Structures are given as C-alpha cells and as structure tokens.
Amino acid sequence: MSDAPKDAPSDAKGVCVVIGAGDGVGGAIARAFAAEGHPVVVTRRARNLEQLEALAANIRAAGGRAEARGVDAREEAEMIALVDDIEAKIGPIEIMVFNIGANVRFSLTETTSRVFTKVWEMACFAGFLAAREAARVMTPRGRGSILITGATASVRGREGFSAFAAAKAGLRVMAQSAARELGPKGIHVAHVVVDGAIDGVFTRSNRTDVEDLLARDVILKPEEIAANYVWLHNQQRSAWTHELDLRPWSETW
C-alpha cells in the first residue's frame, strides 16, 4: 500500500487517518471507513505497533486498504512527518479522526503535576496537533473532515477526574474554534461526546455482565459509534453537525 502512487484516479476516496486506534472505538472507526472504500492509516504509540499491525491486517483481510504507523501524537515533529508521509506515499487525507482517551482517575490531592500535564498532552494537545496538521493539507483542497472523540468529561467535571475533564473540555473548545475557522474553508469539524460505558477490553476487564448489557442495549457498541462517524463525514455541508452526543437509552444524563 505504501508504494501506491499519489496520483490516484480522480474518483478514488481520500485517506482516513485514525489517531488512537485500539481494539474498541478507534478500530471500529477504521473498519467502518475502510468498508466505505477509504484507505485507512491507523496509529498508536510505537510500543503498540504489533496490535496495530493486527488491526490493519484484519481490515485488509476484509477487502479494505490499511496501514499501521507507530506515532506519538504528542510529538509535533512526528505528527508533521506522519501527515507529510501519508500525503506523499498513500494519498490525500480526507478524514482525520482524533480518538485518544487518556481517561484516568485520581483525587485532586493525588493528581501530580506530571499526571495533569501528561493527560493534557494526550487528550488535548495531541488533538490540536492532529487538527492543525489535517487543516494544513485539507485547506488548499477546500474539503475534508476532522472528527474528534469527546467524553462525558468534555461537558462536565466529576470527582476524581480533574485532569481528564480539564483536557477533554479543552479539546472540545479547541474543536469549536477549529470548526468556526475551517467551516468557511470547506472543512467539517465535528466533536462527538461519547457518554457511557463502551464495550471493549477496559470494560470487560472491570465487569462480568457485558454480554447481558449488550443484549439489552445499555452499553455503547463500538460499531454503532463508528457508523455515526461515517455519517458525519458524509453529511452535506448545508446541514453539518458540529457536536453529536451518543449514549445508551438507559443512561442518566
């Protein structure tokens, strides 16, 4: 895939980049866009490259195009190099998805400056870098989507989540600023508030009733979340959604 010429046919779909692609929401988003015909690049830190390669192989086995990259999304130089390399070797980036979570829980007095800073770097600063680099290559073309994953903490703080809430709230208002600036330039920026427990390794390692929750639709399913990202990208610009919140029917909010 990396040897494919950049000058692909005019009807070819642009690349979807998923920053923070694990075995849950990020992987589901990558599979959903690959099923729509978009070449996909999935990223996480280099130490997770083996898992990323397995995800990319799974997408290719299903008939999609996918490539894995080990990238630290907090590092400016790495994000610039990632975008430049994709544009040069794979094709124009049409969708940038920022999906890094960084959900940690510490009481206020146990939250060190290192924890607070690291969470901000992962959940907010990295999102800024992803959006900025996507805008850099999308703006001259006058099209593209920047889709950002938020959380309950994006809109309200809760005890034990001062670092996470501060980072996610910052990411949310960064997305608002980006949307107001980039919308007139043809770029759709959307922020998705995912409110509730999500089926995945983290939830399954902490609960024993996941199958029952899934059967009753009281837990978020990654594939259903991903379908909404595809819908957001395919929206016509006369009716763009900026913020979308997703939660099970039973969730208190």
Side-chain angles (χ1 to χ4, degrees), residues 27-45:
I29 291 171
R31 287 189 290 271
F33 277 107
E36 290 283 305
H38 294 276
V40 171
V41 176
V42 291
T43 85
R44 287 180 74 186
R45 295 179 69 177

Side-chain angles (χ1 to χ4, degrees), residues 176-187:
Q176 291 175 0
S177 296
R180 292 182 170 102
E181 179 178 339
L182 300 176
K185 298 178 182 180
I187 300 168

Side-chain angles (χ1 to χ4, degrees), residues 94-112:
E94 186 174 330
I95 306 115
M96 174 68 78
V97 177
F98 180 75
N99 186 62
I100 292 178
N103 185 350
V104 297
R105 184 170 190 169
F106 291 95
S107 72
L108 188 65
T109 55
E110 293 176 335
T111 301
T112 65

Side-chain angles (χ1 to χ4, degrees), residues 160-183:
F161 292 97
S162 57
F164 184 57
K168 280 297 188 180
L171 181 68
R172 183 189 185 214
V173 292
M174 186 282 296
Q176 291 175 0
S177 296
R180 292 182 170 102
E181 179 178 339
L182 300 176

Side-chain angles (χ1 to χ4, degrees), residues 37-200:
H38 294 276
V40 171
V41 176
V42 291
T43 85
R44 287 180 74 186
R45 295 179 69 177
R47 66 189 182 193
N48 302 115
L49 190 56
E50 185 175 342
Q51 292 173 301
L52 278 178
E53 292 287 5
L55 172 61
N58 178 269
I59 291 171
R60 291 193 294 268
R65 297 178 61 199
E67 187 167 314
R69 299 291 177 87
V71 175
D72 187 339
R74 303 169 298 174
E75 294 295 330
E76 183 176 40
E78 291 191 33
M79 289 299 291
I80 293 171
L82 171 72
V83 168
D84 286 345
D85 191 57
I86 292 170
E87 290 271 323
K89 296 180 180 178
I90 302 175
I93 297 171
E94 186 174 330
I95 306 115
M96 174 68 78
V97 177
F98 180 75
N99 186 62
I100 292 178
N103 185 350
V104 297
R105 184 170 190 169
F106 291 95
S107 72
L108 188 65
T109 55
E110 293 176 335
T111 301
T112 65
S113 59
R114 182 177 183 274
V115 166
F116 191 95
T117 301
K118 186 174 181 180
V119 171
W120 174 80
E121 286 178 342
M122 291 190 294
C124 185
F125 180 64
F128 155 73
L129 290 177
R132 188 193 71 185
E133 291 309 299
R136 174 170 62 88
V137 296
M138 290 177 180
T139 298
R141 295 191 282 263
R143 68 180 187 278
S145 296
I146 300 172
L147 309 177
I148 297 171
T149 302
T152 310
S154 302
V155 294
R156 68 175 187 269
R158 182 184 168 190
E159 70 279 2
F161 292 97
S162 57
F164 184 57
K168 280 297 188 180
L171 181 68
R172 183 189 185 214
V173 292
M174 186 282 296
Q176 291 175 0
S177 296
R180 292 182 170 102
E181 179 178 339
L182 300 176
K185 298 178 182 180
I187 300 168
H188 183 190
V189 180
H191 179 255
V192 182
V193 177
V194 182
D195 182 15
I198 305 169
D199 182 26

